[in-house]
Amino acid sequence: MLLYPGATAAEAPARQHTSRPIVTGTSVLGIKYKDGVMLAADTLASYGSLAMFKDVTRIARTGSYTLVGASGELSDYHALLDKLKGLAQANANCDDGFEHGPAEIYSYLRAVLYQRRNKFDPLWNSLVVGGFKDGAPFLGSVDLRGTAYEDDVIATGYGSHLALPIMRAKWTPDLDEGEARALLEDCLRVLFYRDCRALDTVVLSKATATGTLVSDPYKLETDWTSASFVAPKAGGDGDGGW
Amino acid sequence: MASTGAGYDLSPTTFSPDGRIFQVEYATKAVENSGTVVGIRCADGVVLGVEKVMLSKMLLPSSNRRVAAVAPHAGVAQAGSTADGRQVVARARDECDSYDDTYGIEIPPSVLAQRLAEYVHYFTIHGALRPFGASTMIAAYDARKKTHELYVLEPTGVCLRYFGAALGKGRQSAKSEIEKLDLTKLTCREALKEIAKMIHTTHDDAKDKPFILEFAWLCEETEWKYGLVPQDLIDEADAWAKKELESDDEDDDGDEEMAS
Amino acid sequence: MFRSQYDTDVTVWSPQGRLLQVEYAMEAVKQGSACLGLVGKDGVVLAALKRQPNELSGHQKKLLKIDDHLVIAVAGLNADARTLAKVMRTECLNHRYVYGAPLQGARLVQDIADKYQRCTQTYVRRPYGVGLLVACCDATGPHLYETCPSGNFSEFVAVAIGARAQSAKTYLEKHHKTFKDTPVEELCTHALQALACVEINRCAAISTPRPSFWLKLGHDLRDPRDRIQRAAPHSHPERPRIEGRLKFYFPTGIGRLRRWRQGTRRGGRVPSRRDCRWAVALD
């Protein structure tokens, strides 16, 4: 491939890095609540607009304290999980009573993603890191440019448009586990209704003082009796959208 | 100048006229002077036991470990120089990681043993290097063959699979004790006690420095994960071994009285 | 003089299975002035005797800060110590960049010990001729490690290295059981007394058991002010006192210094006035 028309052979083969994701996952949601942190995501892996795999868990445990969820390119996510597995094993090998906490893993991922972005070969993910260590909950997000921030509620992908406003409106720091779960499931439901790359099969996970847990995939109850679903055009001539 | 090798013993790249490589043999000496290390492949797992010499009262018991984990399913115990040993451990960890990265499964014990052997052997063929002053016992589980295996890797680069092995100062007597055991029936928990006894037997309280026992295992009980043996089990084995030795002494005294 | 043919190269084993070059490098540590460390309830204390190579020069640097949570004391070849300190500082900074948190002391020490070891196994380099005491307060509490040229390292409750360290060790061994309940302020007293033992052995001595570093385990590990302070005994508000058999003298004239020097047969060096800011002598 030539850099530009008429380029010489020496200038010729321009090197191409990842310029778009191939197999992707959509939003990941995370909130802090009374006992710790809860993360949620659906289990769909899309190949463009094709719903390719419907049972892919996009939230994983790493070490004893941390959960990492990802939207974006799933192969990049798996490569990152491999790195984290190595990190956890290195901790276990040392056997000195120390293990990286969620804040350190978040910082590590930030460093890795930022380094790759500087090589113009990014790992195409938006990550959500949640965890609980030494009595403190942690929730942070890292994207493919290495941009990183912490917050009480976090959503990636379409979730940042569709779910985040709901989460911000309803979130309080003293949500109990049931309330936190209900809030996340409400958001996942809205995403399933509105995001064409979302699924009603989801995974929920939590990090608390007793450790981390990732649920098996389960199906959300949905309700399609809403007026805009029953009569999408609502008498108008539009295509059913707003 | 008297010397055993008459100039043929100054480099690992020099053969002596009778075909020996003295430098490698000398490195083995460093292992033979170390605290005793015993490894037994039992019916239900592998146990590694170490006599860890404590050179100072102010040393922390967790310091100077001679056992190390290299992967969830594999670990080592070492005799000889701990500094040299750590290099082998680091290499073992790299091998485990890279095998997992490449093939997506845990490295089989035989492959790990062979790759480490190649590494250690390399240090015996170069003039700019010296052989390791450490021997390594490898305990690992093969998840596909459902076997647990024990290997001993020597400074020469020789690596063999064993049912029971001993390294260091007390290796001779420990070996003969291992030979008396029925290794097809012996359980790991029993082996802990037997190894504690072997180490106590070979240790001369009057002459040798004080020591503590260090144990690691990989067995059914740990779901085939390698790890340190819980301290209460070590204490139990230690107490049992001391009691056994005392009663043995009493028996000996009794025999003498009868003889006289 | 006895000379072995096995003692000139690092990569040659002696028939007894020893590495003589490495053992000689360990001797270099014993030539360095003494330093010691103690681990207490809430921190670690490092203290060292600062020699002055000649009267016109400043004192040696014995304590080097590596990171907010980690300090080393060195005995042996100071130049070797500096290269190691540079590596350690880089490692600590890199770790802070990647993980946003301080590096665990044990892991740094192991990396450094591996670095020591590699020098003992290749022909091209000589072993490092320096021993380090590494004091740190990390996520698993206060720790004290010793490294040596052979590549071995150990963790201690208290330890001393360098010239005539044995007498300091004897002192520490006598008291070490109490250290784990002792706050660092009191540990400073122990540190100074142990250091004084080193010099007393030389009978009537002069030393500068001056600024000791102590690391204190703070509530917030990320606040450097909480974690490390220079505790100069003569300026610190809770300055530790040396009690018992020891007394402090503040010599005023050179004549007095000379008389002291005559007592120190093996020293052979005229102590300067700066040297005597904290002079310690027998009761």
Side-chain angles (χ1 to χ4, degrees):
Chain A
M1 199 165 76
L2 297 179
L3 277 177
Y4 51 90
T8 63
E11 291 168 297
R15 189 164 154 188
Q16 239 196 352
H17 291 297
T18 313
S19 52
R20 64 196 166 96
I22 310 293
V23 178
T24 58
T26 183
S27 326
V28 181
L29 313 178
I31 54 173
K32 285 186 188 167
Y33 68 106
K34 204 177 64 185
D35 306 329
V37 172
M38 204 178 272
L39 260 55
D42 67 30
T43 61
L44 181 67
S46 308
Y47 180 74
S49 60
L50 175 72
M52 199 162 182
F53 307 108
K54 301 213 275 183
D55 56 351
V56 179
T57 300
R58 294 189 288 119
I59 300 174
R61 304 163 60 205
T62 177
S64 316
Y65 310 107
T66 313
L67 298 164
V68 180
S71 36
E73 176 62 53
L74 285 168
S75 58
D76 285 350
Y77 173 54
H78 291 148
L80 279 171
L81 288 184
D82 265 0
K83 279 174 102 75
L84 291 175
K85 187 176 153 194
L87 194 68
Q89 185 58 40
N91 275 322
N93 286 343
C94 283
D95 204 14
D96 55 4
F98 175 75
E99 206 189 307
H100 291 112
E104 281 141 8
I105 289 184
Y106 157 82
S107 180
Y108 171 76
L109 290 169
R110 187 212 85 245
V112 171
L113 268 69
Y114 181 64
Q115 187 227 19
R116 288 295 295 262
R117 153 246 156 92
N118 282 345
K119 291 206 268 179
F120 286 86
D121 188 16
L123 294 169
W124 215 285
N125 294 116
S126 284
L127 302 169
V128 179
V129 181
F132 196 93
K133 193 188 178 196
D134 300 334
F138 179 91
L139 183 63
S141 171
V142 186
D143 76 5
L144 75 167
R145 292 171 197 88
T147 315
Y149 63 94
E150 293 171 40
D151 205 345
D152 296 328
V153 291
I154 280 176
T156 64
Y158 262 104
S160 60
H161 303 284
L162 298 174
L164 209 52
I166 307 173
M167 290 157 85
R168 283 187 179 150
K170 295 198 177 167
W171 184 83
T172 54
D174 54 351
L175 292 175
D176 66 25
E177 186 174 322
E179 290 165 337
R181 180 175 172 170
L183 173 54
L184 286 177
E185 284 182 352
D186 281 348
C187 293
L188 289 167
R189 203 172 286 113
V190 168
L191 284 166
F192 176 55
Y193 292 147
R194 295 293 175 193
D195 174 3
C196 293
R197 308 282 167 266
L199 198 66
D200 56 348
T201 308
V202 300
V203 159
L204 204 68
S205 65
K206 61 174 180 176
T208 60
T210 53
T212 57
L213 199 69
V214 178
S215 78
D216 287 335
Y218 64 96
K219 231 172 151 74
L220 290 175
E221 297 271 310
T222 47
D223 175 14
W224 296 90
T225 57
S226 163
S228 63
F229 296 146
V230 176
K233 297 195 176 180
D237 290 330
D239 62 356
W242 286 301
Chain B
M1 199 181 342
S3 109
T4 40
Y8 293 108
D9 65 347
L10 291 172
S11 164
T13 51
T14 310
F15 275 106
S16 78
D18 52 352
R20 295 161 66 184
I21 300 172
F22 281 106
Q23 269 298 303
V24 180
E25 292 180 23
Y26 295 169
T28 313
K29 284 266 170 35
V31 181
E32 290 171 1
N33 298 333
S34 124
T36 311
V37 179
V38 183
I40 298 181
R41 184 210 178 271
C42 310
D44 61 342
V46 188
V47 181
L48 304 174
V50 177
E51 170 198 13
K52 187 163 81 178
V53 180
M54 300 297 276
L55 291 171
S56 160
K57 282 192 266 190
M58 298 185 292
L59 210 56
L60 258 62
S62 59
S63 184
N64 295 56
R65 285 243 170 90
R66 280 187 175 273
V67 296
V70 298
H73 72 300
V76 301
Q78 293 177 314
S81 154
T82 44
D84 282 14
R86 278 202 316 276
Q87 300 289 326
V88 181
V89 170
R91 178 66 175 215
R93 287 172 179 166
D94 285 352
E95 292 291 355
C96 291
D97 278 356
S98 75
Y99 193 96
D100 195 314
D101 283 351
T102 313
Y103 302 108
I105 53 164
E106 288 171 341
I107 190 169
S110 54
V111 178
L112 175 61
Q114 186 166 353
R115 289 193 178 178
L116 283 186
E118 280 170 23
Y119 174 68
V120 168
H121 170 250
Y122 184 80
F123 285 77
T124 69
I125 56 171
H126 266 272
L129 302 171
R130 65 167 170 82
F132 282 103
S135 281
T136 306
M137 281 194 192
I138 307 161
Y141 180 67
D142 192 323
R144 286 183 305 164
K145 286 199 285 181
K146 305 261 180 276
T147 53
H148 48 285
E149 302 172 9
L150 169 69
Y151 292 84
V152 176
L153 169 56
E154 288 167 40
T156 52
V158 170
C159 188
L160 295 170
R161 193 171 159 194
Y162 284 84
F163 278 107
L167 301 166
K169 267 201 205 101
R171 66 192 176 286
Q172 299 298 1
S173 67
K175 270 182 201 163
S176 57
E177 287 301 313
I178 296 172
E179 281 163 14
K180 291 179 199 157
L181 301 170
D182 182 358
L183 299 179
T184 55
K185 294 211 182 69
L186 189 77
T187 66
C188 286
R189 281 180 177 247
E190 288 162 358
L192 288 177
K193 294 179 176 174
E194 294 296 342
I195 295 174
K197 192 179 164 190
M198 287 174 211
I199 291 176
H200 272 291
T201 313
T202 58
H203 187 90
D204 184 349
D205 284 339
K207 215 172 68 194
D208 298 338
K209 293 252 191 249
F211 73 101
I212 57 173
L213 288 170
E214 201 166 65
F215 278 107
W217 65 4
L218 167 106
C219 55
E220 254 172 42
E221 204 178 325
T222 64
E223 293 167 336
W224 301 112
K225 298 272 177 270
Y226 179 91
L228 291 175
V229 175
Q231 191 57 42
D232 54 326
L233 287 181
I234 299 179
D235 292 341
E236 193 186 316
D238 198 23
W240 180 87
K242 280 181 187 154
K243 226 174 93 189
E244 278 289 297
L245 286 177
E246 272 168 29
S247 64
D248 283 0
D249 285 349
E250 278 165 25
D251 289 352
D252 292 348
D253 294 347
D255 293 346
E256 278 161 27
E257 273 164 34
M258 293 230 284
S260 63
Chain C
M1 192 191 132
F2 170 78
R3 215 188 86 86
S4 156
Q5 56 178 321
Y6 305 102
D7 73 348
T8 47
D9 279 329
V10 262
T11 52
V12 175
W13 287 100
S14 82
Q16 292 75 38
R18 290 162 58 184
L19 291 169
L20 294 166
Q21 266 299 303
V22 174
E23 289 177 22
Y24 297 170
M26 310 269 276
E27 291 301 315
V29 178
K30 292 184 196 159
Q31 305 279 334
S33 71
C35 46
L36 55 87
L38 310 79
V39 183
K41 185 169 70 177
D42 54 353
V44 194
V45 176
L46 286 182
L49 290 176
K50 286 158 78 76
R51 279 187 193 147
Q52 194 183 22
N54 72 57
E55 202 173 337
L56 296 175
S57 79
H59 287 80
Q60 295 169 292
K61 220 167 158 58
K62 295 287 283 180
L63 299 163
L64 307 172
K65 183 180 165 186
I66 302 299
D67 197 349
D68 283 343
H69 69 302
L70 200 140
V71 174
I72 60 171
V74 305
L77 304 183
N78 259 252
D80 283 10
R82 271 202 317 276
T83 53
L84 288 172
K86 189 175 175 188
V87 172
M88 293 169 91
R89 284 170 179 151
T90 312
E91 287 295 312
C92 282
L93 276 173
N94 283 345
H95 192 278
R96 271 185 196 274
Y97 168 67
V98 173
Y99 297 97
L103 175 57
Q104 285 286 303
R107 301 185 180 190
L108 175 65
V109 171
Q110 191 179 116
D111 284 352
I112 290 300
D114 285 346
K115 194 175 168 59
Y116 273 109
Q117 195 282 150
R118 283 193 291 275
C119 293
T120 71
Q121 203 164 191
T122 45
Y123 181 79
V124 285
R125 302 183 69 180
R126 66 163 169 83
Y128 285 101
V130 68
L132 308 180
L133 297 184
V134 181
C136 73
C137 286
D138 55 29
T140 49
H143 300 281
L144 172 67
Y145 305 91
E146 182 208 340
T147 67
C148 58
S150 64
N152 285 325
F153 72 95
S154 311
E155 185 175 359
F156 288 92
V157 249
V159 67
I161 56 171
R164 294 178 301 283
Q166 189 50 49
S167 21
K169 262 191 216 164
T170 312
Y171 175 91
L172 295 172
E173 271 174 14
K174 204 167 135 196
H175 295 93
H176 78 274
K177 290 213 171 90
T178 62
F179 291 168
K180 69 174 188 298
D181 306 316
T182 312
V184 278
E185 288 81 357
E186 278 175 52
L187 275 190
C188 287
T189 318
H190 281 299
L192 294 183
Q193 277 188 326
L195 262 191
C197 290
V198 171
E199 290 296 89
I200 283 167
N201 237 10
R202 245 173 116 191
C203 63
I206 294 170
S207 70
T208 52
R210 230 173 7 106
S212 27
F213 249 107
W214 49 274
L215 302 165
K216 190 166 177 180
L217 191 64
H219 179 65
D220 179 7
L221 285 176
R222 291 183 188 197
D223 183 358
R225 282 164 306 177
D226 232 20
R227 316 212 36 219
I228 187 163
Q229 293 182 37
R230 272 172 199 280
H234 53 277
S235 64
H236 196 269
E238 297 162 349
R239 92 179 197 211
R241 279 172 213 286
I242 292 188
E243 290 160 352
R245 312 189 294 121
L246 301 170
K247 271 189 185 169
F248 286 93
Y249 292 99
F250 295 87
T252 48
I254 284 293
R256 190 159 182 186
L257 289 172
R258 289 244 168 78
R259 284 199 295 282
W260 280 22
R261 186 203 160 197
Q262 279 152 10
T264 65
R265 298 297 302 164
R266 282 183 292 159
R269 152 177 89 80
V270 181
S272 74
R273 229 178 244 242
R274 285 178 59 194
D275 226 22
C276 298
R277 191 166 341 158
W278 279 92
V280 183
L282 273 174
D283 195 357

